[in-house]
Amino acid sequence: MKILTIYPNSVNQRHIDDAVEALRRGEIIVYPTDTFYALGADALNNRAVERLCRLKGINPDKNLLSVVCSGLSQAAEYARIDNRAFRLMKENLPGAFTFILPASSSLPKVFKSRKTVGVRVPDNAIARALAESLGNPVMSASVPLGDSDDALAEASDPRALGLRYSGTPEVTLVIDGGDGGTEGSTIIDCLDSSAPEIIRQGAASIEL
């Protein structure tokens, strides 16, 4: 298990490149966002996405799959964003939001069963740098909380997460970007952008 320390206010591009190489090999990494730490895979690698789903216990036929993008221009390549949705996202991103949008045909087949995708542009320079250097979105799923009394503290501690996944062959790298958040993103359904709806209130507030 490799642990790379990256400071969000001074991103080390060499470490980002190391993490991106792991993603391109189809491996899973643990990395910081502006909410919880997340499990990440190359969103265009179908096998890597399926591997992440199994690790997290996600059924892609029933559960929303989310991707982290470097910005709105990258997001527009992988989700269909109309003018209303674009304005709402532009006003609130980067930020702790997940916008549910129609998936475009650019995403692999594992996304096609639901025809939707959750789009994130986190307020975290490390997460955005990963997507930018990879050249496409990072499939992202918050690390699962454990069952212990300290589960929330452990899920926000990258060193503890390194120990947790040290025996998991799929997870090869942890980015230590400091303490993580303790609340998930706010999820907004924009499938009908004329009437967006908050599905889950999380770390960030928004006016619709």
Side-chain angles (χ1 to χ4, degrees), residues 39-205:
L39 298 167
D42 181 349
L44 299 191
N45 185 323
N46 205 67
R47 289 186 177 180
V49 171
E50 290 175 340
R51 199 175 295 126
L52 192 156
C53 287
R54 286 195 299 271
L55 185 62
K56 178 69 188 284
I58 295 171
N59 182 343
D61 292 332
K62 297 180 179 179
N63 299 115
L64 176 72
L65 302 184
S66 294
V67 296
V68 161
C69 298
S70 59
L72 280 178
S73 59
Q74 187 181 77
E77 297 179 43
Y78 299 94
R80 297 200 300 275
I81 307 174
D82 65 20
N83 289 337
R84 289 193 188 96
F86 183 86
R87 284 195 296 270
L88 183 64
M89 295 170 74
K90 187 175 181 181
E91 289 170 359
N92 291 280
L93 295 176
F97 298 99
T98 300
F99 290 91
I100 303 175
L101 296 159
S104 79
S105 58
S106 303
L107 290 169
K109 63 181 181 180
V110 70
F111 287 85
K112 300 297 192 293
S113 56
R114 289 177 55 87
K115 300 180 181 178
T116 60
V117 62
V119 171
R120 295 216 60 210
V121 181
D123 188 13
N124 181 287
I126 297 169
R128 298 196 308 274
L130 285 170
E132 182 175 359
S133 294
L134 182 61
N136 58 256
V138 178
M139 158 72 181
S140 187
S142 297
V143 294
L145 297 179
D147 298 325
S148 70
D149 293 339
D150 297 325
L152 196 58
E154 178 192 286
S156 64
D157 181 345
R159 299 283 164 168
L161 292 171
L163 290 173
R164 181 200 289 188
Y165 289 109
S166 60
T168 305
E170 299 91 342
V171 182
T172 60
L173 184 148
V174 174
I175 294 178
D176 179 353
D179 292 339
T182 56
E183 192 172 6
S185 63
T186 297
I187 301 176
I188 302 156
D189 185 339
C190 281
L191 295 176
D192 178 2
S193 63
S194 66
E197 180 182 359
I198 296 174
I199 302 299
R200 182 186 74 189
Q201 181 64 54
S205 298

